[in-house]
Structure formats: structure tokens, C-alpha cells
Amino acid sequence: MSAVLRLTVTKCRASGIVVILIACLMAVGLSVYFLAGRPYPTANSCSVPPKRPLPSFGAAPKIAQSVIRLPRTVLPHHYDVRLLPILEKGNFTVLGRVAIDLQCVEETDRIVLHSSDIKVDLKSVQVIEQGEMAKNMLSVESIDYETVTEFLIIRLKAKHKVKLAKRTNYTLSMDFVGNLTDTSAGFFRSVYVEDGVERYMAVSQMEPTDARRVFPCFDEPNMKAIFTVSIGRHRDMTALSNMPLIDTTAIDGMQDFYWDHFAPTLLMSTYLVAFVVANFTKIEADVGNANWKFNIHVRTSAVSQAQYAKVIGPKAQAFYEDYFQMPFPLPKQDMIAIPSAFVGAMENWGLLTYGESVLLYDADVSSLDDRQTVVELVTHELAHQWFGNLVTMDWWSDLWLKEGFTSYIECLAAEHVDPSLERLEQFVTSALHTVMRLDALESSHPISVLVNHPDEIGELFDDISYKKGAAITRMLANFIGAKSFRNGLTHYLRIHQYGNAVQDDLWNALDRQADLDQVFLPTNVKTIMDTWTLKMGFPVVTVQRDYSSQNVTITQKRFLVRKSNSTTADPTVYLWWTPLTYTTDFRTIGSTWLAENQSSKNLTLEFEIRDDEWVIFNVNETGYYRVNYDARNWHLIAKQLMTNHTAISVINRAQIMNDALNLARAGLLVYEVPLNLTKYLEREEEFLPWEATLTALSYLDSMMKRTPGYGLLKNYVLKILSPLYDSLGFVNRSSDSHLTGKLRRKVVESCCSMGHKDCITKAIDSYHRWMSDPQNTTIVPAMLKRVVACTAIRHGGEVEWDFAFQRFRDSNVASEKATLLSSLSCTQESWIIARMLEMCLNPTTGFRTQDALDVIKTLAGNPIGRFLTFNFTREKWLEMTKIFSSIHNLAHVFESVTKAFNTDMELKELSDFVGRNKELLVSAMTRSTQQSIDRVRSNLSWMKQNYRHVVNWLQKANTDVTFQPST
């Protein structure tokens, strides 16, 4: 079928379509613009579209899923899309035409598809029946637009009883005009400076529902089709799309403009269609004997920064071919670094787009953390070429099916392309512990969740879909076995390639493989995994030992940082199929299961254990749950950590510290237990336990920062950090491993922020020497640049801030710009903070739109900036909703501004703001705002229940501390 549908763009056909497009444009007034001396048309020159109000941030009405989903009366098979983006200041217009080959599945008198923010020339709309003989043009009665659903409805003439016939093919075509916006959605423009000259480029971002903003289409992931793309460009520019270029023809009537015609794609979803028009340099990577080409596209002045990506990109793609046992199906892979107006990355099939800061790496300026970010993003997007592109989720409810799996699989690829990063070992702290903080809220959501409006789809792009999805995938891979997991994925991809799937399809493939490999499971994979994907939250497993025997009693219940009265109204039974592993020596490992209908069970351990020996559950923290123990076992673990902590694995030391501190936060463990455990850290030299502990302690830091007891906390943390600070030193060593470098950065950051005199002195001295010699990249190590700049700005004034701001503006390395941007928010000068906030709303003289939200979020974490930021956000919220189009990013701002609130007054102010602004807080932010309120209530509860206990413990622990005050 694919071969029949694949259309070749010949010169004759291309020229014919060009003639049609030019004639159509002239019909709507293009000639007027040329006669008037204006080189290009604007969006207003096209016919008036169906009446539609401008997009707003008002609450979207709740509507049934059957209403927001397109009818299946007609299905697309092929799109011929041609777009001419005009990159001229004052006229960022896109002229377009689309012809869609359709098959009628059910007799109907209308065609319903998506369209948004583009103006269709109503007179150009045609519906033509395909046939061997003369083509039959059907009469169109009306064209309507439904604002909420973003449906474009083309009705055929009822009085003539014109209908589309079942099993008949048609072509729907139309001309349209759109705008190259600056919103990073649809087809948008990006502006950057190269060699002192302001330049523009055009780039697309379709996911999740923005293809409809570029051309009218059936914009749902399970309505796959083939796309033949033609892009118009000036002779000085280069066009890219998903497939290779096959032909270039001149655009009649437009001197120096050309059409670039690309090969037809494979069957794919609209959200993966991509195009770029830019004046970039192409770098060809060495791919060995691979059957595909691999190219990197960057600004000319950034070519040297693409060398790392040029090496790891092909290596990762080859790894996935081997891992999935399926070849990459396209003839080429392009990766392009977008210099501005783009955050993160996108897995467009054959044309991966990245923000510069996550693709480019300069060894002299960028840090090892930056290098790890490049590896993570490159391996993540390349994994999507199979898991997401080749096989696509049926609907956005199963977004996690591609994002969660790739967020885990990327770790395997990262271990292959750069094992020095130890990426897989970091999973517990970078993903599992991170998402547990969100998933422990009552207002969390299941991984697989019904979405009822396009805006709500964007809200699913959160840590639950990505990091919890990755965590339960890792858990699944461990209990089913690495070999069965890998072969099961291959089977899943093979039987669903070029199609769509739901999570049950994956469970069935893994069940089949488990049976073939004779893997014992207590029930089928679907039954086990449904408890993790269809329920929100996770369990805390409590282990109560009988010290006179080998018996233990195990219970499970949902872990919540705060349980409110509304919890009892939730009818869900929060019990899971929980895979349990345990050990007493990390040589022998036992295993068992808690069933979905078991709140508790009695277990006889598989091996002998003395009453003075500890037992640890969740070996290497492969399970997605926390573990609590009886007091005696906690004491035995603490004793082991104090005498020889290396007897417990590094990952489990991180797990113990993170679990204990969070169990105490939730009121399930007295704070004396985790705080006593921290004493062993004076001997700890590994990154993961410190990362887990300091991250968990950061909650105490945020709660106590404005209290009389904060000095006690600072003193104690400095006490346990000082031996490691002295051992590691302030300056990097050539012998450092990647994790040692990360550990030093973490320790120095903590010490400087808490007033360690030597740390602050060295940071300020390094910064002032850098100020005296700005071009010397060796003065401040890249790994410590953020800490050094932040410390100097925190203890300095306007001069220090201005230097960092100028370096931020002048730097040609995106990762360095991001580092300096973050450090600017460390200032303690209220007037500078106020100025920064105003600069966020003025991209011309202040921060770029794509940077402004990050500035607001980091200022919210500044003890002095938090209230200024909250007041600013309240006063400017309406303006912010107009400037920042991403609802997802605005939700993160809301979370950042309020996450440290912990007083009755702050809760009241937050609740009042939410209550007064329901129309501005769109429905897609409902979950985010509720999570923010839940966090504040949890903080308030913590202060009332735990603050005094923590202070009392700290007073006793600090009796022998010698504290070095900051200068």
C-alpha cells in the first residue's frame, strides 16, 4: 500500500503546482503588493477566514473526548505541502498550499480536519473525486470553524445531495496564509546575531498539536499519512525537512527564490513533520558502513562546538539499531542547533531540532554537566526514532509510552556512547527521587490519563510522563530480565511498525517474550503494570522483623507527604503489584511480590539472618517505592554506615538517605532517625549518597531559611561537609572522574551558599581575577562557573552583576550563557531583582522571551527575590500570559514561585490569587495550580509538626561545632 500512495515530485508536476499557487495568490491580491513596491504579501492579503476570536488564556470548557477527536469518516493517505516562509523584518508571512489525498471510510457530506491561526482562502478550497477518467469536482456549500475544537468543517451542498462515497478516494486542496510567530509553536522564526549581523531563520515545532497552525491537517497521532514537502527559500538560505532533497526549481515571478522538493516520507504522524530554513553550515559525520547519512547543522561560528555531537550522534543511532534489532528506516538523519526561541529538543523523524545549549559543547567553556546534557538529549531524541516515530502512541493519553520508555532507554545508549558519564548509575537521583517528590502529592496524576482538550495535552509533558514512566520501565526491565525486555521491545516494534499502539500492545509483547523465556511472574505483565500506570502515586513498603526467626511482616500503603480529608473521598484502592528484593550482604538477593489485593503479607526470608544483622529491601532501588523499617533495623543500618558504609551499595546508601528524610517529612519516621544517619556522611566520598541527602535536606533549608533555627542547620551541614570539602579541594584535578567533578561542584555550591569562609573567599577571588581577564577561560573552571559567579554576585553589587550580564550577552556558547543567566539571579540587591523582573517582559532591552521564564523561576528561589517575584507574578500575570505562549512553562513558573511558601498568610495569598484569576489560569493549569496549593499546605503542616523537633536535634548536634562565618 505504501508504494501505491508514494508520490514522486517531478519537475513537471512541481511546476504545475507552482503555477496553481501563484495564480491563487494573485487572485487574492498578490499582484497589488508587487505593483505597490512591496515584495511579499502579508497575512492580511488573504481571504477572510471563518470567524474566530483570538486565542486567549480563558478557561477552556470541559468537553467529551468524542467531541475533540476527529470523526473517522475520511482518512488521509498523502499530503502535498508547500510553504514559502518570508523572512523579512516587518513581514514574517508564510504562504502555503496543501493537497490531501483522502479515502472515504463512511458516507458523509462533510470533511472535518484541524486548522488554527492560519487564514484559508475560502475560494481556493476544492474537493475532487479521484478516478481513472475525468476528475469530478464536488460543490462546497460552506466552510465553518469551531473555536474550541479547532475544527475546520467543509460541508458539501446538501440541496444537491452531494456526499463523499464510501471506499472512494478524493483530494482536498486549499491555499492559506500564516505568520512566522516567535512563540516556538508551529512554524516560527528565530532571530540571532552572527558576526554582528541580525539574522533570521524559520523552524517548526509541531508537537503536540501545532501542525494545524502550519497547514490544515488531520492533527491526531493515529491518523498517519505520507508527506511530500516543498519549501520555498531565498538563494542564500538552505531548506531542510524530514527526507532528503530530491529537486530544486525556481519560483516563477520571484527572482532569487527557489522551491526545494523533498522525497516523500514514510507513514508518520503530523506532529513529526518538520522543516527549517536557515543560513547554516552543514557538518557531515563519519558513519562507517551505515546505510544512512548523519549531518549536524549549526551557525558558522559554532562549528567547533558541534564536534562532540558529531561523534556521539551516529554512535547512538548505531547502538539503537543493534539494541532494537531493527535498522533506522530513513536514508539520512539531520540534527540542527537552534540559536534562540527554542528550548529542549524534538524528535522529528529525520530532522532533530535542539536548542543550542543542549546540542553544542565547547570543552574550554562548557562543563561536564553540559556534556552530560548533550548526551542525554541526543540519546533521548534518537531513541524516539523507533519508540515514538516508527511506533506511535494511539492518543496522547499514552504519551508516557514514548517519553517514559525513551527516558530510560537513553541511559543505556549514554552508557555506550560515553561510559565515563556513568549515566545509568545516576538514574536514581536524577529521575526516580525527583519524580517521587511530585508523585507524593494528592494532586498527582496517573501516568496514563484521559485528556479532554488540546491544552490539557501540554500539561502531560511533565515528570510523571517522563521520569515516572522511566522509573517503572526500569523496574519492569529488572523483574522481567534485560534479555526478555529487549527482545520483547523488538517484537513490539516489528508488529506495530508504521502504526500506532496502546500500552496493552506493549504489555502483550513483553508477556509473550516472558513466556518464551520462561520468566516466572506472579501474573501477566498487563496486570502488574496497570497498577503502576492507571493509579497515581506509589507505595511505602514497611518491613517489621521478628528478630527471633527469619520472618518479617511486610505492608504497603500509598506514600503521601501530606494526607488531607479529601483523600478518603478517592475510591481508588492504592495497592500495587510490588516487586520486592532484599539482601543482608549484597551477595545473596532474595525476592518476592506484594499483590494488588495485599495490604500486608508474612514472609520467611530465603536465607538466614542473625538478630544483629541488618536487612535492606529494594536492592539498588530498582523498584518504584520507598522502604520503612522497624526502629531496630534502622539502628542496625545506621551502625553499619558508621562502621563501614561501603558494605552497603552506593545506590542503596543514596536510597536509605532519601527514603529516611522523606519518610520523616511525611510523618512516618521520627526525624531523629534520618538526622542521625547523616552523621556517617563525614566519611562518605561518593556522589550519589551526597546528592540524595543534600537534595532531601534542601527541603529543610527552604522551610527553615526565614526562621531563628536556620543558623543551626547551616552549622550542622557545614560540619558534615567540611571534611569532604577539605579532601576534594576547590580546584578540579585532572584525575577526577565525572562523578567526582559533579560531587565537587555540589559540595562547593553547598559550602559557599551556607557561609563557608574559605569557599566564599576562593570563589570571589576567582571571579575578580576573571573580571580582570575576561577572555581567559582557565581562571574559572567550567564546572564551577555557576557557583563562582553566583557567590561573587551574592556577596557583591552592581559591578559584579554587570560583568556577568555582559558576558552573558557576549558569549557565543549557549551552555555558558545558560550558566551566567542562572547566576544573575543570585544578587541580594532588591533593586537589581526588581529591574531583572521588568527586563523579563521587555525582550528588546532585557532578556529574550525564551530566557525570561528561567530568570523568573531562579529569582523565585532567591530568599530576597521570592516575595518580589510573587508580587510581580500576581501583578503581571495577564501580561505574562500574552507574552509567554507556553502553558506548560507558565505552570513551571507558578510552581517555582510558590514552592517554598510555608505560612498561613502565604497560603491565603496564593489561594486568593488562584480564586480571583480562574479565567486567566487556564484549565490546562488546573492541576499545576492545585499541586502548588497542595505543596504549600504540606509545608505549613511540616512547620507545625516538625520544625521544633529538628531544631532540638540540631541544638544537640551543634554543641561541638566551630563555625566559620562568611565575610
Side-chain angles (χ1 to χ4, degrees):
M1 175 178 284
S2 296
V4 175
L5 294 172
R6 200 180 293 261
L7 301 181
T8 302
V9 182
T10 64
K11 286 187 177 181
C12 179
R13 182 177 180 222
S15 298
I17 297 176
V18 169
V19 170
I20 293 172
L21 176 59
I22 298 298
C24 175
L25 292 172
M26 290 177 65
V28 297
L30 179 56
S31 60
V32 175
Y33 281 85
F34 282 112
L35 292 172
R38 299 174 66 179
Y40 312 120
T42 65
N44 293 329
S45 68
C46 202
S47 301
V48 178
K51 187 175 182 180
R52 178 198 178 189
L54 292 173
S56 70
F57 276 77
K62 291 286 184 180
I63 49 181
Q65 187 179 27
S66 60
V67 177
I68 66 165
R69 299 293 295 272
L70 291 171
R72 263 48 181 175
T73 51
V74 297
L75 295 176
H77 286 297
H78 177 269
Y79 291 79
D80 195 315
V81 180
R82 48 188 55 231
L83 302 168
L84 174 58
I86 308 302
L87 288 163
E88 182 179 277
K89 198 165 187 177
N91 179 20
F92 297 106
T93 304
V94 183
L95 311 177
R97 177 174 176 79
V98 63
I100 311 173
D101 295 334
L102 309 167
Q103 183 180 59
C104 181
V105 177
E106 182 181 331
E107 185 181 74
T108 181
D109 64 352
R110 67 196 63 188
I111 299 173
V112 183
L113 68 165
H114 289 114
S115 180
S116 178
D117 295 341
I118 53 180
K119 297 186 177 183
V120 175
D121 178 5
L122 306 185
K123 296 180 181 179
S124 72
V125 178
Q126 293 183 340
V127 181
I128 301 176
E129 181 182 348
Q130 298 177 2
E132 296 181 3
M133 308 301 292
K135 295 185 182 296
N136 178 27
M137 184 177 295
L138 281 64
S139 299
V140 175
E141 179 177 77
S142 65
I143 302 175
D144 300 311
Y145 187 82
E146 292 186 0
T147 304
V148 173
T149 59
E150 299 180 334
F151 284 176
L152 183 68
I153 305 171
I154 300 168
R155 291 184 172 87
L156 305 178
K157 286 195 173 179
K159 64 180 180 180
H160 295 266
K161 297 183 179 179
V162 177
K163 290 188 176 183
L164 302 182
K166 188 175 181 179
R167 289 189 294 274
T168 304
N169 295 326
Y170 300 86
T171 298
L172 167 67
S173 62
M174 66 191 78
D175 304 321
F176 54 88
V177 174
N179 286 307
L180 286 171
T181 69
D182 58 358
T183 60
S184 299
F187 204 10
F188 62 94
R189 68 182 185 271
S190 176
V191 60
Y192 62 99
V193 176
E194 184 86 339
D195 298 327
V197 178
E198 187 176 75
R199 301 179 185 272
Y200 293 95
M201 64 181 296
V203 61
S204 65
Q205 168 61 35
M206 308 299 199
E207 190 182 35
T209 57
D210 289 320
R212 66 193 68 177
R213 302 182 189 279
V214 184
F215 57 94
C217 58
F218 296 81
D219 199 13
E220 296 187 5
N222 65 3
M223 301 186 84
K224 288 190 171 185
I226 293 170
F227 296 82
T228 300
V229 173
S230 297
I231 301 294
R233 59 164 177 87
H234 189 269
R235 67 175 184 177
D236 294 333
M237 308 290 273
T238 300
L240 300 171
S241 191
N242 303 83
M243 298 296 285
L245 177 70
I246 58 173
D247 196 14
T248 297
T249 58
I251 298 181
D252 293 342
M254 296 185 70
Q255 187 176 359
D256 295 333
F257 277 80
Y258 297 86
W259 287 113
D260 280 342
H261 307 285
F262 297 91
T265 69
L266 303 178
L267 272 173
M268 68 181 197
S269 304
T270 50
Y271 78 87
L272 295 171
V273 178
F275 3 84
V276 172
V277 177
N279 185 4
F280 273 22
T281 297
K282 181 174 79 171
I283 304 167
E284 296 183 8
D286 181 5
V287 299
N289 297 321
N291 295 321
W292 31 262
K293 296 180 179 179
F294 204 108
N295 308 306
I296 317 289
H297 302 263
V298 297
R299 293 179 293 112
T300 302
S301 63
V303 167
S304 63
Q305 301 174 41
Q307 301 311 304
Y308 185 57
K310 186 181 79 169
V311 173
I312 65 169
K315 196 174 180 181
Q317 186 154 294
F319 168 82
Y320 287 127
E321 284 192 315
D322 176 68
Y323 185 83
F324 293 126
Q325 301 168 62
M326 295 186 71
F328 178 65
L330 304 186
K332 65 90 177 176
Q333 183 71 275
D334 288 316
M335 300 200 304
I336 185 166
I338 313 302
S340 63
F342 196 86
V343 179
M346 178 61 202
E347 70 263 23
N348 314 299
W349 216 358
L351 177 54
L352 309 179
T353 49
Y354 298 83
E356 277 195 343
S357 64
V358 298
L359 184 63
L360 304 185
Y361 173 76
D362 185 326
D364 292 331
V365 179
S366 306
S367 69
L368 290 177
D369 280 342
D370 297 326
R371 192 174 83 179
Q372 180 172 320
T373 297
V374 174
V375 171
E376 289 171 351
L377 270 292
V378 168
T379 54
H380 183 93
E381 305 311 325
L382 286 172
H384 275 310
Q385 306 302 290
W386 287 263
F387 231 93
N389 298 4
L390 183 64
V391 180
T392 310
M393 73 273 154
D394 189 71
W395 178 242
W396 297 104
S397 296
D398 281 331
L399 171 68
W400 85 273
L401 197 56
K402 72 182 185 78
E403 296 300 350
F405 267 81
T406 51
S407 294
Y408 171 65
I409 297 297
E410 74 177 59
C411 298
L412 306 182
E415 287 289 308
H416 174 76
V417 302
D418 195 340
S420 69
L421 297 178
E422 300 178 79
R423 179 66 186 88
L424 197 58
E425 185 173 343
Q426 296 177 59
F427 183 90
V428 292
T429 55
S430 65
L432 193 147
H433 292 171
T434 301
V435 73
M436 277 182 162
R437 292 196 294 271
L438 174 60
D439 210 19
L441 298 175
E442 286 182 317
S443 52
S444 182
H445 66 84
I447 287 181
S448 183
V449 60
L450 181 68
V451 285
N452 290 317
H453 188 273
D455 286 345
E456 295 174 348
I457 295 170
E459 200 177 26
L460 295 182
F461 286 79
D462 65 359
D463 280 352
I464 297 295
S465 295
Y466 285 74
K467 294 181 178 180
K468 181 177 180 179
I472 66 168
T473 300
R474 174 174 173 263
M475 179 173 68
L476 167 62
N478 274 274
F479 73 67
I480 202 175
K483 179 182 177 182
S484 297
F485 177 74
R486 177 181 177 182
N487 291 336
L489 293 185
T490 298
H491 178 68
Y492 165 80
L493 291 171
R494 284 177 176 167
I495 62 177
H496 295 289
Q497 59 184 319
Y498 305 111
N500 297 84
V502 296
Q503 63 179 27
D504 282 2
D505 295 318
L506 180 58
W507 305 151
N508 291 337
L510 291 169
D511 254 329
R512 170 188 173 276
Q513 193 63 47
D515 288 341
L516 288 174
D517 297 340
Q518 297 182 327
V519 176
F520 169 76
L521 295 174
T523 184
N524 58 55
V525 172
K526 170 181 166 53
T527 301
I528 294 170
M529 296 307 295
D530 276 357
T531 65
W532 297 98
T533 61
L534 302 182
K535 298 177 184 180
M536 60 181 168
F538 59 91
V540 51
V541 172
T542 301
V543 180
Q544 178 69 50
R545 291 176 57 182
D546 178 356
Y547 288 85
S548 63
S549 68
Q550 306 298 110
N551 298 330
V552 297
T553 300
I554 305 169
T555 61
Q556 65 165 323
K557 67 176 182 178
R558 183 183 177 187
F559 178 82
L560 290 169
V561 292
R562 174 183 173 272
K563 186 174 182 180
S564 69
N565 294 331
S566 62
T567 308
T568 57
D570 185 349
T572 306
V573 177
Y574 286 102
L575 297 173
W576 293 262
W577 274 100
T578 306
L580 303 176
T581 54
Y582 56 91
T583 186
T584 60
D585 56 13
F586 288 91
R587 293 187 296 273
T588 305
I589 298 173
S591 63
T592 187
W593 288 81
L594 275 171
E596 184 184 12
N597 61 357
Q598 284 182 309
S599 59
S600 67
K601 69 179 290 185
N602 294 320
L603 171 68
T604 300
L605 300 179
E606 297 176 16
F607 38 80
E608 291 187 5
I609 176 173
R610 300 193 312 270
D611 62 0
D612 61 348
E613 288 183 318
W614 45 263
V615 63
I616 290 175
F617 273 67
N618 202 4
V619 178
N620 288 327
E621 206 169 5
T622 57
Y624 186 63
Y625 54 89
R626 296 199 184 281
V627 184
N628 199 357
Y629 302 98
D630 59 75
R632 186 172 176 180
N633 198 69
W634 275 119
H635 174 74
L636 291 171
I637 291 172
K639 183 179 178 181
Q640 180 65 71
L641 289 173
M642 291 298 291
T643 54
N644 178 18
H645 60 277
T646 60
I648 299 173
S649 74
V650 172
I651 291 177
N652 274 106
R653 299 203 300 270
Q655 173 228 8
I656 288 165
M657 298 309 302
N658 189 266
D659 276 356
L661 283 162
N662 280 280
L663 288 165
R665 176 180 172 181
L668 300 177
L669 190 64
V670 293
Y671 255 106
E672 182 181 9
V673 173
L675 292 175
N676 281 334
L677 288 172
T678 63
K679 294 178 180 179
Y680 105 88
L681 290 166
E682 294 185 48
R683 301 171 180 82
E684 181 61 77
E685 297 180 348
E686 295 288 345
F687 170 72
L688 291 183
W690 272 110
E691 171 75 358
T693 303
L694 291 174
T695 300
L697 284 176
S698 68
Y699 179 74
L700 273 68
D701 184 89
S702 65
M703 291 299 97
M704 298 177 66
K705 195 175 286 283
R706 296 172 295 159
T707 70
Y710 184 62
L712 293 169
L713 179 65
K714 287 206 307 179
N715 289 356
Y716 179 72
V717 173
L718 283 174
K719 175 189 175 184
I720 60 175
L721 275 172
S722 290
L724 189 57
Y725 176 85
D726 294 338
S727 172
L728 290 172
F730 190 88
V731 181
N732 295 343
R733 299 167 185 163
S734 58
S735 59
D736 286 346
S737 68
H738 177 61
L739 290 188
T740 299
K742 289 175 72 74
L743 177 60
R744 176 183 291 103
R745 190 253 306 144
K746 191 77 176 179
V747 171
V748 169
E749 181 180 57
S750 298
C751 285
C752 280
S753 68
M754 291 198 162
H756 191 288
K757 185 176 180 179
D758 182 73
C759 182
I760 293 170
T761 300
K762 283 186 168 64
I764 293 175
D765 177 64
S766 297
Y767 191 78
H768 285 160
R769 286 190 289 117
W770 185 31
M771 290 175 67
S772 300
D773 190 3
Q775 304 309 316
N776 190 337
T777 60
T778 65
I779 295 175
V780 179
M783 198 70 172
L784 295 179
K785 186 168 291 183
R786 200 271 174 189
V787 181
V788 167
C790 178
T791 302
I793 291 171
R794 182 189 297 123
H795 293 271
E798 185 178 8
V799 174
E800 286 78 8
W801 191 95
D802 284 345
F803 173 77
F805 184 62
Q806 191 59 49
R807 291 293 303 172
F808 161 73
R809 286 197 158 186
D810 293 343
S811 178
N812 186 46
V813 180
S815 58
E816 183 185 38
K817 291 176 78 74
T819 297
L820 291 168
L821 183 71
S822 175
S823 67
L824 290 171
S825 299
C826 296
T827 179
Q828 302 296 288
E829 298 284 351
S830 299
W831 68 271
I832 294 180
I833 294 172
R835 185 178 68 179
M836 289 179 67
L837 290 168
E838 290 296 335
M839 291 167 66
C840 290
L841 303 184
N842 188 350
T844 304
T845 60
F847 299 108
R848 301 176 303 175
T849 301
Q850 64 268 26
D851 295 327
L853 290 178
D854 287 333
V855 172
I856 295 172
K857 286 187 287 186
T858 52
L859 282 174
N862 184 323
I864 294 177
R866 58 188 294 185
F867 297 112
L868 292 171
T869 305
F870 182 52
N871 290 336
F872 177 84
T873 303
R874 285 189 293 181
E875 293 171 5
K876 304 290 186 179
W877 187 254
L878 177 59
E879 188 175 351
M880 289 173 64
T881 60
K882 294 176 180 177
I883 295 174
F884 308 114
S885 59
S886 172
I887 296 170
H888 179 61
N889 288 335
L890 278 175
H892 280 304
V893 168
F894 202 84
E895 172 191 337
S896 299
V897 169
T898 60
K899 67 179 181 181
F901 285 6
N902 61 1
T903 67
D904 290 313
M905 180 58 72
E906 288 168 334
L907 176 59
K908 182 179 184 302
E909 289 180 339
L910 173 59
S911 300
D912 288 347
F913 173 70
V914 172
R916 289 194 306 269
N917 292 275
K918 289 183 178 179
E919 293 185 0
L920 296 178
L921 298 168
V922 294
S923 63
M925 285 183 64
T926 300
R927 184 181 293 119
S928 299
T929 53
Q930 186 56 51
Q931 287 172 350
S932 295
I933 292 173
D934 282 356
R935 284 189 184 94
V936 177
R937 286 174 175 159
S938 176
N939 295 345
L940 192 60
S941 176
W942 188 93
M943 290 297 294
K944 293 176 179 178
Q945 296 176 13
N946 297 302
Y947 170 74
R948 180 44 56 189
H949 295 295
V950 172
V951 167
N952 289 340
W953 187 92
L954 289 170
Q955 286 174 331
K956 295 176 183 178
N958 279 324
T959 54
D960 60 342
V961 175
T962 301
F963 175 54
Q964 302 179 46
S966 62
T967 55

